[in-house]
Amino acid sequence: KGRKRLWELRVQFRVKAPVEGPLLVGIELEKYVPLGASAKRLMGMTVAALKQVAGNDLYHSVGDDPSKGPGPHEKPVFMMPLWACDQMIVTPEGEDPPDLCDSSY
């Protein structure tokens, strides 16, 4: 019964000011990772498919190869709008947020 997840991450936060534009969530690698041609092609197809769902708010970069010139260099990064995640609950100001340990979430 219920959802069969291999993993999940639950985060609760409060913003101090109204958010302008999309709220993004993502990852950034510490350093550039060289990729072969087939890996780049597969990554490009995957990002294109994800952009079909998340739209232009999705941002992806393999980063800048530091051997190609002086810095600063962009790190590898993948960002997407928070609304594209599995579940997002927005609690209006003044109301109590739900218990994130509740099994119904």
Side-chain angles (χ1 to χ4, degrees), residues 3-9:
R3 298 178 184 181
K4 302 290 184 197
R5 293 186 178 113
L6 297 178
W7 63 274
E8 72 179 33
L9 174 67

Short mmCIF file of all heavy atoms in Angstrom, two decimals, residues 3-9:
data_model
loop_
_atom_site.label_atom_id
_atom_site.label_comp_id
_atom_site.label_asym_id
_atom_site.label_seq_id
_atom_site.Cartn_x
_atom_site.Cartn_y
_atom_site.Cartn_z
N ARG A 3 2.89 4.57 -1.76
CA ARG A 3 3.86 4.76 -2.83
C ARG A 3 5.09 3.90 -2.60
O ARG A 3 5.53 3.70 -1.48
CB ARG A 3 4.27 6.22 -2.91
CG ARG A 3 3.11 7.11 -3.25
CD ARG A 3 3.55 8.54 -3.27
NE ARG A 3 2.40 9.39 -3.51
CZ ARG A 3 2.46 10.69 -3.60
NH1 ARG A 3 3.61 11.30 -3.46
NH2 ARG A 3 1.39 11.40 -3.82
N LYS A 4 5.67 3.43 -3.67
CA LYS A 4 6.89 2.63 -3.61
C LYS A 4 8.05 3.50 -4.08
O LYS A 4 8.32 3.60 -5.27
CB LYS A 4 6.77 1.38 -4.49
CG LYS A 4 5.61 0.50 -4.14
CD LYS A 4 5.84 -0.18 -2.81
CE LYS A 4 4.68 -1.13 -2.53
NZ LYS A 4 4.60 -1.52 -1.18
N ARG A 5 8.73 4.14 -3.16
CA ARG A 5 9.86 5.00 -3.50
C ARG A 5 11.15 4.32 -3.09
O ARG A 5 11.22 3.69 -2.05
CB ARG A 5 9.76 6.34 -2.78
CG ARG A 5 8.61 7.19 -3.22
CD ARG A 5 8.70 8.55 -2.54
NE ARG A 5 7.67 9.42 -2.97
CZ ARG A 5 6.67 9.85 -2.20
NH1 ARG A 5 6.60 9.46 -0.95
NH2 ARG A 5 5.75 10.64 -2.67
N LEU A 6 12.17 4.49 -3.89
CA LEU A 6 13.48 4.01 -3.51
C LEU A 6 14.16 5.00 -2.57
O LEU A 6 14.98 4.63 -1.74
CB LEU A 6 14.35 3.78 -4.75
CG LEU A 6 13.83 2.72 -5.72
CD1 LEU A 6 14.75 2.63 -6.93
CD2 LEU A 6 13.73 1.38 -5.02
N TRP A 7 13.82 6.28 -2.71
CA TRP A 7 14.36 7.32 -1.84
C TRP A 7 13.45 8.53 -1.94
O TRP A 7 12.67 8.66 -2.87
CB TRP A 7 15.79 7.69 -2.22
CG TRP A 7 15.89 8.27 -3.59
CD1 TRP A 7 16.02 7.58 -4.76
CD2 TRP A 7 15.81 9.65 -3.95
NE1 TRP A 7 16.05 8.46 -5.82
CE2 TRP A 7 15.93 9.73 -5.36
CE3 TRP A 7 15.67 10.84 -3.22
CZ2 TRP A 7 15.91 10.94 -6.04
CZ3 TRP A 7 15.66 12.04 -3.91
CH2 TRP A 7 15.78 12.07 -5.30
N GLU A 8 13.57 9.40 -0.98
CA GLU A 8 12.86 10.67 -1.05
C GLU A 8 13.57 11.67 -0.16
O GLU A 8 14.32 11.30 0.73
CB GLU A 8 11.39 10.53 -0.66
CG GLU A 8 11.13 10.30 0.80
CD GLU A 8 9.64 10.20 1.11
OE1 GLU A 8 8.89 9.71 0.25
OE2 GLU A 8 9.25 10.61 2.19
N LEU A 9 13.33 12.92 -0.44
CA LEU A 9 13.89 14.01 0.33
C LEU A 9 12.75 14.96 0.65
O LEU A 9 12.05 15.40 -0.26
CB LEU A 9 14.98 14.73 -0.49
CG LEU A 9 15.57 16.00 0.12
CD1 LEU A 9 16.38 15.67 1.36
CD2 LEU A 9 16.43 16.71 -0.90
#
